[in-house]
Every structure is written in C-alpha cells, then in structure tokens.
Amino acid sequence: MTTRRFFLLSGTAFLAATGLARFTRPGFAAPTETFEVTKTEAEWKAILTEEQFSILRQEDTERPFTSALNNEKRKGVFQCAGCELPAYSSETKFDSGTGWPSFWDAIEGGIGTREDTSFFMTRVECHCRRCGGHFGHIFDDGPQPTGKRHCINGLALKFVPATAA
C-alpha cells in the first residue's frame, strides 16, 4: 500500500541522489587533459566574478533567460571569459528559445568536448580548448547546416563587437 510516508521518503531519496550526483561526478577536467592556460583556484577567483568562477571552473549553470548575451544581436565574436580565446561567431548564433545563448557551430579550434554522464544522462559537454573553462553542452536539435545546438552559459563568454570598417 502506498502511503504518504513512502512518497516523502522516495522523494527525499531522489533529491539526495540527484544532489549527490553533482558532487560525485568526475572532476571538471579529465585527469589526462592538459590546457595551455592553467591557473590556481585563487588566480581564477581573482580574475572571474563569483558566478563566472562557478560556471567556468565548477561546471555550474546560470538560470535561463538571465544572460544579456542571450539577446545579443550585433556582429562580433564571443570569447572565453577566462582566457579570451575566440569560441563562437555571431554568424552562427540563433534563438533557440531555451533561455541560453545558442550557436550551431563553434569557431575552429575554439572548443573542446568530452562526454558528461552527470545527472543520470549522457551529454556532450563543451569547454574552452585553451583553458578548459566549462561553456555548456551540445545537443542534436539545432538548425542546419550542422543540426547542432551549442547551449552555452552567457557568463562563460565575453562578447567583442566587430569593429566598424
């Protein structure tokens, strides 16, 4: 017989397991990965805001529809907020309706990827190729020509407008 206590205990167990998954998943960068730009935790904290540090260095996610870059329409380049490596062009940006800046492709040499098996699912995580900063995830529901949607945390990026010619 299903009781209120059963539902409360089941719900609590699920929430605990979900929260535990966040803290028991492998470290941010795979141990075999090395990056050109490396800094200590203190050095990253000195150059990033608290929110940027949480996203770039601890794989956190910003709330949807909170990034100013979600509505950025100017021509330019989106760089890593940690090391300023150009990662995305405004030419590949599109409105996915998800609440995060989305791109159908990255600038060649701008990102790295790895399998992310956190939260009981398998996804493709993308990060800065040069410093390893976490950007977001790549999904197979984007527009042509790639069919990909790079769902990116706006705080992980810095927008640099194109200069007037």
Side-chain angles (χ1 to χ4, degrees):
M1 179 174 184
T2 304
T3 65
R4 183 176 181 197
R5 179 176 289 173
F6 172 80
F7 280 116
L8 289 173
L9 290 174
S10 297
T12 302
F14 175 76
L15 291 173
T18 303
L20 186 59
R22 171 134 176 96
F23 297 106
T24 60
R25 65 183 172 178
F28 169 63
T32 58
E33 269 185 287
T34 57
F35 300 101
E36 294 168 44
V37 174
T38 58
K39 296 181 185 301
T40 65
E41 185 172 309
E43 289 171 325
W44 283 119
K45 285 183 174 181
I47 64 168
L48 300 171
T49 67
E50 186 177 326
E51 294 85 5
Q52 287 174 318
F53 179 84
S54 181
I55 291 166
L56 286 165
R57 309 315 309 166
Q58 298 177 321
E59 293 189 348
D60 204 355
T61 301
E62 67 193 8
R63 288 189 342 262
F65 301 102
T66 59
S67 172
L69 294 185
N70 195 38
N71 298 316
E72 182 59 65
K73 307 273 192 246
R74 296 175 291 172
K75 295 209 178 290
V77 173
F78 296 84
Q79 299 177 337
C80 172
C83 72
E84 298 185 348
L85 179 70
Y88 292 96
S89 166
S90 61
E91 300 296 320
T92 63
K93 188 172 186 290
F94 70 100
D95 184 3
S96 66
T98 61
W100 290 278
S102 297
F103 304 84
W104 51 263
D105 205 1
I107 292 174
E108 187 173 338
I111 68 165
T113 61
R114 70 174 176 87
E115 184 178 84
D116 176 0
T117 57
S118 63
F119 300 110
F120 310 105
M121 64 181 98
T122 301
R123 302 176 289 177
V124 176
E125 183 267 349
C126 61
H127 54 266
C128 175
R129 188 237 352 122
R130 186 162 57 191
C131 74
H134 172 73
F135 288 157
H137 292 87
I138 302 173
F139 301 96
D140 292 325
D141 60 358
Q144 292 304 315
T146 64
K148 301 291 184 189
R149 173 175 53 96
H150 294 231
C151 188
I152 307 300
N153 289 289
L155 287 172
L157 302 175
K158 171 182 152 183
F159 180 70
V160 179
T163 55

